[in-house]
Amino acid sequence: MSSEIITDPSGNFIRNIIDSDIAVAKNPDGVITRFPPEPNGYLHIGHAKSIVLNFGIAKSYSGRCNLRFDDTNPEKEEGEYIEAIKQDIVWLGYDWHELHFASDYFEQLYQFAEQLIQYGKAYVDDQSVDEVRQTRGTLTESGIESPHRNRSIEENLNLFRRMKAGEFGDGERVLRAKIDMDSPNLNMRDPVIYRIKHARHHQTGNKWCIYPMYDYTHCLSDAIEGITHSLCTLEFADHRPLYDWVLDVLSTPCQPQQIEFARLQLEYAITSKRQLNILVEDGIVDGWDDPRMPTISGMRRRGYPPQAIRRFCERIGVTKKDSTIKIDVLENSVREHLNEHAPRRLAVLNPLKVVIENYPQGREEKLEAANHPQKPELGTRRIFFSREIYVERDDFMEDAPKKFFRLSPGREVRLRFAYYITCTKIIRDDDGNITELRATYDPESHGGTADGRKVKGTIHWVSANHAIDAQINVYDRLFSTPTPWAANDVHDELNPDSLQILQGCKLEAGLSDASVEDAFQFERLGYFTLNHTPEHGDNRIYNRIISLRDSWAKVSR
Ligand code: ATP
Ligand code: MG
């Protein structure tokens, strides 16, 4: 892993709260946080923000961060996601202290619920979840008390145990906290804390047919684990009174503090598992790890380095106010990291052959090429030069304007790391298409010329006989509008050019040793990485991670 580990977006308001807690020695066991994903999909860039925050805070206070799967919803969750989530967190550069499942606490949560009943703070309601919702009232009107609200403790205990024993069908009864049907906060109007669901759970199998609700489970799981600061997104601010109520009534030994921060919303990206799932289900993308997905696995396959994602999360910081982050902030974090670390290579995406007529037949040279123009410590490599080379079709123009400093008949241009060449002739097929160029080279021009003659342009190239063939997937933004999440139909927002497949690209020979997750700058073209496909062979597939510059700059401002 890189030495550059960002520990925490510095100076945020959460740190200020923790600092004051430390000043009064509130948490004798140190700071303990948790990252609590629901295993109902793959992690996305929004989760990365929460991961960097929770693990980062724990690290910078020499505390601990647990990974807890928030798995109270048996039907929507799958074991497959659990492994993927763990892998993503490790890949991002973090390691949890303890691994838990909320379902590990089902027995304890059940016992706590019996306690609530004993305290007269919970009751079994025979109304359905829908009826409960309909009688909850509105922001201007009180809720209506359930006819079953004042059942005796004995009757409630008996009914709750029978719910657990499986005597009732799905939705026939619920357990509700007995709080206040007049509360201005709707979450406090006798919320449902258990529901009946005869469903198999991926961790607990068929052991349970009643499942605790999120709000009830989360605060108690935090308390059981001794979490000191329970960081969640702003939409849970209105749930905090319930969080505190449960912990107060049950007098749990640990009283974690819930602190809310703004969710990440990112331009040109969707950060909702449900909406991302639609893209996967409709076949718009090639799975959750499609390189255009804002999932952690997608960004990984695309070639985004984990350090760049962490740097992005640090940059955007943590606030109390929702906002939309510009996609350039992410893309520039990726560019900056790659610009600093990615070794340079030569590759030609749209090849045009050039035969250098005064270069001896059969001869080949190995020229020295720097791996990074600003970092001599990254060393050099040898690249083949020979009589036949490929250059980029776009780097040739027949009737070129004056300022075209690339290849054109009669003009001299520098080949990167090699010689000056001058185009002498154009070869065409019967239809008049240019198929090949002829040129001459100046044998004295390697590394500049003695006569001080300057050429303005430098172009990239590869030796035709030595080059390896590749397919290159040129990825771009999946959506053409910055707010796809707000669309009625995401299909209308798709960028038709989000994937262009280029065949017959030519790469310098040394790239045959590249491995998955090595990232390179192909000079003048962008940053690229091997796609992880099993069928590597000679015909390799590369992904374009990102262009050298933001070609959307005009569109997105
Ligand atoms: P989704 O709508 O994608 O399912 P979620 O919030 O329901 O998102 P969880 O798996 O429950 O997803 O989230 C795990 C943790 O990640 C939670 O603490 C949640 O607050 C945080 N999280 C999820 N999305 C974001 C986001 N966009 N920005 C910041 N934190 C997020
Ligand atoms: Mg969720």
Side-chain angles (χ1 to χ4, degrees):
M1 193 190 305
S2 142
S3 56
E4 179 218 16
I5 291 214
I6 291 160
T7 50
D8 179 37
S10 59
N12 68 57
F13 72 96
I14 297 175
R15 292 181 71 104
N16 297 341
I17 297 174
I18 296 177
D19 289 342
S20 356
D21 291 346
I22 289 175
V24 297
K26 190 170 166 199
N27 309 119
D29 294 333
V31 173
I32 309 177
T33 58
R34 85 288 169 265
F35 173 64
E38 186 181 351
N40 62 346
Y42 284 68
L43 299 182
H44 52 62
I45 185 76
H47 295 108
K49 173 175 178 175
S50 175
I51 292 171
V52 171
L53 178 66
N54 278 293
F55 283 92
I57 286 212
K59 188 170 169 72
S60 63
Y61 286 96
S62 303
R64 288 166 276 166
C65 180
N66 291 347
L67 169 59
R68 183 197 316 139
F69 287 102
D70 182 1
D71 58 348
T72 51
N73 217 339
E75 281 161 342
K76 286 199 214 140
E77 294 159 1
E78 281 179 43
E80 162 203 349
Y81 298 128
I82 293 174
E83 284 317 305
I85 288 171
K86 288 200 240 172
Q87 237 182 42
D88 286 348
I89 297 172
V90 170
W91 178 77
L92 264 184
Y94 299 100
D95 195 7
W96 46 89
H97 176 62
E98 290 168 353
L99 173 65
H100 294 290
F101 290 84
S103 55
D104 294 345
Y105 308 133
F106 280 172
E107 183 58 38
Q108 273 164 289
L109 296 175
Y110 176 81
Q111 294 303 333
F112 278 128
E114 284 211 354
Q115 245 181 65
L116 283 181
I117 296 174
Q118 307 266 17
Y119 295 160
K121 295 289 188 185
Y123 61 95
V124 172
D125 195 348
D126 301 356
Q127 299 184 107
S128 67
V129 172
D130 272 351
E131 284 168 318
V132 170
R133 195 175 303 126
Q134 279 155 20
T135 52
R136 200 164 72 142
T138 63
L139 287 175
T140 50
E141 270 174 56
S142 289
I144 301 164
E145 290 194 357
S146 162
H148 313 288
R149 194 172 198 262
N150 295 312
R151 276 181 162 144
S152 69
I153 290 173
E154 290 67 36
E155 193 184 356
N156 278 320
L157 264 185
N158 176 271
L159 284 169
F160 189 48
R161 287 175 183 165
R162 287 171 58 199
M163 278 168 65
K164 182 193 180 209
E167 286 188 31
F168 307 114
D170 287 4
E172 276 181 21
R173 282 185 172 70
V174 291
L175 183 73
R176 297 176 73 176
K178 191 172 181 178
I179 311 180
D180 179 5
M181 291 306 287
D182 295 324
S183 170
N185 183 336
L186 296 176
N187 295 303
M188 298 298 272
R189 294 186 186 169
D190 292 9
V192 172
I193 57 177
Y194 266 91
R195 70 226 194 279
I196 301 172
K197 238 184 207 176
H198 291 269
R200 196 185 152 73
H201 186 284
H202 55 94
Q203 298 295 314
T204 57
N206 291 322
K207 178 157 185 230
W208 296 90
C209 62
I210 53 171
Y211 289 97
M213 301 298 283
Y214 174 87
D215 279 332
Y216 173 74
T217 307
H218 204 85
C219 53
L220 287 170
S221 306
D222 282 346
I224 292 167
E225 289 175 29
I227 302 301
T228 55
H229 299 85
S230 177
L231 314 179
C232 64
T233 42
L234 284 180
E235 68 272 23
F236 289 99
D238 284 347
H239 298 237
R240 183 164 13 107
L242 178 55
Y243 184 104
D244 292 339
W245 181 90
V246 173
L247 298 183
D248 278 351
V249 173
L250 289 169
S251 324
T252 50
C254 164
Q255 294 269 322
Q257 183 181 357
Q258 173 178 309
I259 306 170
E260 307 87 20
F261 64 95
R263 271 183 106 76
L264 168 66
Q265 188 162 65
L266 184 64
E267 277 185 344
Y268 295 97
I270 281 177
T271 46
S272 141
K273 282 179 261 172
R274 190 184 53 78
Q275 283 184 305
L276 289 172
N277 194 34
I278 295 175
L279 302 177
V280 175
E281 294 287 307
D282 290 358
I284 293 172
V285 292
D286 164 31
W288 284 93
D289 69 344
D290 184 292
R292 292 163 295 180
M293 289 282 267
T295 50
I296 294 180
S297 50
M299 293 188 288
R300 175 184 189 171
R301 192 166 144 206
R302 172 83 171 255
Y304 283 15
Q307 299 91 334
I309 298 173
R310 298 200 302 260
R311 185 183 291 192
F312 163 73
C313 294
E314 182 201 40
R315 263 187 197 158
I316 57 174
V318 178
T319 64
K320 267 276 187 208
K321 199 170 157 289
D322 281 319
S323 66
T324 301
I325 304 292
K326 292 225 164 278
I327 185 76
D328 335 2
V329 185
L330 175 61
E331 292 180 344
N332 286 335
S333 299
V334 172
R335 275 193 194 96
E336 277 169 29
H337 183 87
L338 292 172
N339 181 38
E340 216 179 311
H341 295 99
R344 274 44 174 177
R345 294 291 181 266
L346 297 185
V348 173
L349 302 196
N350 187 8
L352 174 61
K353 190 178 264 185
V354 181
V355 179
I356 303 167
E357 291 184 305
N358 62 338
Y359 194 90
Q361 294 266 13
R363 177 161 151 199
E364 65 180 34
E365 283 178 81
K366 283 177 125 185
L367 305 177
E368 188 168 29
N371 287 330
H372 195 294
Q374 285 93 37
K375 293 188 140 187
E377 67 274 21
L378 290 189
T380 61
R381 66 194 187 281
R382 296 273 172 178
I383 52 175
F384 286 105
F385 186 77
S386 62
R387 184 178 154 91
E388 296 190 0
I389 61 171
Y390 291 114
V391 301
E392 212 69 65
R393 251 173 208 277
D394 282 355
D395 279 336
F396 174 76
M397 201 185 251
E398 190 171 359
D399 298 309
K402 248 197 159 133
K403 295 226 154 142
F404 185 80
F405 300 123
R406 291 174 271 166
L407 208 51
S408 181
R411 292 195 200 170
E412 196 168 43
V413 72
R414 181 193 291 112
L415 295 176
R416 180 80 167 139
F417 304 121
Y419 302 94
Y420 294 1
I421 59 168
T422 305
C423 172
T424 51
K425 194 172 171 193
I426 300 172
I427 313 288
R428 297 175 197 273
D429 64 14
D430 294 343
D431 300 325
N433 302 311
I434 299 174
T435 54
E436 206 174 285
L437 301 175
R438 297 287 152 83
T440 55
Y441 88 119
D442 174 356
E444 303 301 317
S445 62
H446 187 211
T449 57
D451 64 9
R453 185 174 91 241
K454 289 253 158 48
V455 296
K456 279 225 165 111
T458 301
I459 63 173
H460 60 273
W461 56 277
V462 292
S463 168
N465 287 333
H466 303 94
I468 48 178
D469 283 312
Q471 169 184 317
I472 294 189
N473 299 333
V474 179
Y475 290 106
D476 202 344
R477 296 176 188 167
L478 183 57
F479 298 104
S480 48
T481 56
T483 56
W485 61 84
N488 288 329
D489 183 351
V490 288
H491 295 83
D492 299 339
E493 312 292 305
L494 294 170
N495 170 12
D497 301 319
S498 65
L499 170 59
Q500 249 183 295
I501 295 179
L502 306 179
Q503 306 280 1
C505 306
K506 304 286 182 182
L507 317 180
E508 71 169 68
L511 280 166
S512 57
D513 297 338
S515 10
V516 169
E517 295 199 22
D518 286 346
F520 300 97
Q521 184 192 97
F522 291 172
E523 293 206 25
R524 300 178 66 228
L525 296 173
Y527 297 97
F528 296 80
T529 191
L530 266 180
N531 189 4
H532 25 131
T533 41
E535 70 283 1
H536 275 157
D538 281 343
N539 193 3
R540 300 185 143 214
I541 301 177
Y542 272 78
N543 293 338
R544 184 176 77 177
I545 306 169
I546 199 156
S547 56
L548 289 177
R549 274 169 292 277
D550 179 8
S551 57
W552 288 67
K554 275 187 248 97
V555 186
S556 57
R557 291 273 133 55

